Amino acid sequence: MINEINEQTIEQKPYLPLKEKSRNDLPDYLKVSNRIFRQMLISSLEDADTIVKRLNTIEKLNFARQYAHLFHRLFYVQLQQDQWKYYYDIDIKENIWSGRVSTKWALMNSMYHTYGRSKQLIEQRLHTIARQLQEASPKIQEFSNQPLPPCILEMNPPLDFPFFVAIITAFVRKGQYKLKQQFESKKKMLILDSTDHRLVQAVYNLKPTKQQIRAIRNRWKAIYNKIQIKEQIEILKHRIHSNRLPPAFNLLDYSLDKIEKILTRSPKSSITNSTDQETVLSARRLKKIGRFKYDILELSIAAGEEKHALFPDLFQQLIVAVETREQHMLKRADYLKQEKLKSFFDDAPTPENDIMDDNSNDSVGAINH
């Protein structure tokens, strides 16, 4: 917990961790349409089409769906176990666990207000996951030990079952690719956020004066604003050069300034441009406005650096602590920016999106387990 020195004390609220929500955005292989299900299977492994094209009845597809459903559940629980075990191990090693400051305090110091999980919550989650793993593993074994349905036994030539299982395994792994990336991102952000809290605390431990605190906060705020504009410019560049954009991402949602609002309200040209032309023109306009604000913030940073250069040697230790935290802010922001860019423009397989987009009515009426 970070306590402000030489400033009015800010009331801290107790940290009550919330229960983790169940993921309803994961693909349900029992409900996806036949067409999408076949396409996903074929793209999972090389030469998978030699097997998939023989799954030409509802009964055969239903068998493959149930296998995929069981593997999906097992792999998902294993991913969760890996994530929460990492939390426990890193917390034991680094003694970081969880931390929280008020939203107001976080805003004043340009930081995220919370990080991590309590030891009690992590242990509870690991216990629950261990029980779920004990349930998921035997279900696959039980399903494998059951006699094969007649539709599979009667296939001629016989089904290459090891290759079939390899296809299902690769298919499920591919479907959980983005989920795994999200888990890895959370691991990295835990270290970045906990380090940020520690570095901010190190600055206040040096007992700066009120005037110094204001100068430090102004400098951090200027850096934070510069980071935000730089991130926006990077996204704008991708907007111009990328041919693949997520449908929910709309640059017009960016709140820039009064100039943008005036331009947005300006009459449209009577000449009908193509969608691509409108996209490029809109992105260029927003990029120029963003660049203008970015230049202003660079001047603010330069002014702040000049001001800090005049500090007497007595405060050199304080400046070192501040600059150490600034470097970490840049490191954390760069990682977060890359994660956002991957989220916006990643070409990774997203079967759940395909599922949502598919409105066909040829789904198989499989039974949920």
Side-chain angles (χ1 to χ4, degrees):
M1 187 72 69
I2 298 174
N3 296 317
E4 184 176 2
I5 301 174
N6 296 326
E7 290 278 353
Q8 184 178 0
T9 303
I10 297 176
E11 182 180 359
Q12 307 291 339
K13 296 181 180 180
Y15 175 37
L16 300 176
L18 300 176
K19 293 183 178 179
E20 185 173 80
K21 296 181 180 179
S22 60
R23 297 190 62 90
N24 296 321
D25 58 336
L26 294 174
D28 188 343
Y29 300 119
L30 298 177
K31 295 181 180 179
V32 59
S33 70
N34 292 339
R35 180 177 62 84
I36 295 297
F37 187 65
R38 286 195 185 98
Q39 289 176 353
M40 293 162 64
L41 284 175
I42 291 173
S43 64
S44 61
L45 273 182
E46 186 177 357
D47 297 329
D49 59 321
T50 60
I51 295 291
V52 177
K53 68 181 181 181
R54 301 182 63 197
L55 303 177
N56 50 10
T57 66
I58 292 179
E59 291 78 10
K60 294 175 184 177
L61 279 176
N62 192 42
F63 178 76
R65 288 172 186 274
Q66 294 184 40
Y67 234 120
H69 179 75
L70 292 173
F71 272 107
H72 166 68
R73 178 59 184 168
L74 175 63
F75 293 164
Y76 175 59
V77 175
Q78 288 174 342
L79 282 176
Q80 284 191 312
Q81 185 183 50
D82 177 70
Q83 181 188 20
W84 286 90
K85 189 175 185 302
Y86 173 84
Y87 289 158
Y88 186 84
D89 291 342
I90 196 67
D91 290 342
I92 289 292
K93 180 180 178 181
E94 304 292 340
N95 193 30
I96 54 179
W97 299 107
S98 63
R100 185 182 181 92
V101 297
S102 69
T103 303
K104 182 178 179 180
W105 176 267
L107 184 63
M108 289 190 298
N109 291 279
S110 304
M111 61 191 295
Y112 191 65
H113 72 285
T114 185
Y115 69 87
R117 303 289 191 276
S118 69
K119 182 178 180 181
Q120 181 181 4
L121 177 63
I122 294 176
E123 291 175 342
Q124 288 175 350
R125 289 295 300 156
L126 285 173
H127 178 74
T128 300
I129 290 170
R131 176 176 52 80
Q132 292 173 342
L133 198 58
Q134 290 176 352
E135 295 173 356
S137 298
K139 285 185 178 180
I140 293 182
Q141 191 62 39
E142 291 173 7
F143 188 79
S144 301
N145 292 337
Q146 292 178 1
L148 293 175
C151 62
I152 301 297
L153 288 173
E154 295 170 0
M155 294 179 68
N156 188 19
L159 178 68
D160 185 348
F161 204 75
F163 188 37
F164 169 77
V165 174
I167 292 173
I168 295 296
T169 302
F171 162 70
V172 175
R173 294 284 190 195
K174 198 172 184 180
Q176 293 183 351
Y177 173 82
K178 276 197 169 182
L179 178 63
K180 184 177 181 180
Q181 294 300 105
Q182 291 171 7
F183 283 178
E184 292 300 319
S185 176
K186 289 180 180 180
K187 293 178 184 179
K188 183 68 175 179
M189 288 306 301
L190 171 63
I191 301 299
L192 292 172
D193 286 334
S194 63
T195 302
D196 205 38
H197 277 237
R198 177 177 57 81
L199 293 174
V200 172
Q201 180 66 71
V203 172
Y204 284 99
N205 286 344
L206 295 173
K207 303 185 184 304
T209 65
K210 290 184 179 181
Q211 183 179 4
Q212 291 165 354
I213 288 175
R214 283 193 292 269
I216 291 168
R217 288 175 175 174
N218 287 338
R219 180 164 175 167
W220 284 345
K221 182 62 175 177
I223 292 176
Y224 176 80
N225 289 337
K226 180 180 178 180
I227 288 169
Q228 294 298 303
I229 293 297
K230 187 175 181 179
E231 176 185 296
Q232 186 182 77
I233 291 173
E234 290 293 325
I235 293 176
L236 289 171
K237 290 179 180 178
H238 278 272
R239 172 75 173 186
I240 293 173
H241 299 293
S242 175
N243 294 323
R244 182 178 182 271
L245 295 174
F249 180 66
N250 186 351
L251 279 179
L252 296 180
D253 289 339
Y254 276 82
S255 298
L256 292 175
D257 51 22
K258 293 182 180 179
I259 296 177
E260 182 196 359
K261 293 179 181 179
I262 294 173
L263 291 173
T264 303
R265 293 195 298 266
S266 62
K268 294 183 178 180
S269 173
S270 58
I271 302 176
T272 303
N273 296 322
S274 66
T275 302
D276 290 341
Q277 289 175 326
E278 291 176 354
T279 300
V280 171
L281 290 174
S282 176
R284 286 177 179 173
R285 174 174 62 82
L286 294 173
K287 180 182 177 181
K288 288 183 180 295
I289 296 174
R291 182 66 206 186
F292 174 71
K293 296 175 72 175
Y294 177 74
D295 290 341
I296 293 178
L297 288 170
E298 279 193 323
L299 293 176
S300 299
I301 295 296
E305 291 175 346
E306 182 178 353
K307 182 176 181 180
H308 278 274
L310 300 176
F311 276 16
D313 294 340
L314 180 62
F315 304 127
Q316 188 59 38
Q317 187 179 6
L318 176 62
I319 300 304
V320 170
V322 172
E323 291 177 346
T324 300
R325 198 257 167 159
E326 289 173 3
Q327 292 301 316
H328 181 76
M329 287 177 70
L330 296 173
K331 178 181 177 182
R332 178 184 181 277
D334 181 67
Y335 176 79
L336 197 56
K337 178 189 69 178
Q338 296 301 327
E339 289 297 309
K340 289 182 180 180
L341 292 176
K342 284 197 296 184
S343 175
F344 289 151
F345 308 101
D346 191 10
D347 288 329
T350 55
E352 56 268 43
N353 291 338
D354 292 334
I355 294 170
M356 296 298 293
D357 293 338
D358 185 80
N359 295 319
S360 59
N361 296 320
D362 57 343
S363 59
V364 175
I367 299 175
N368 284 287
H369 291 275

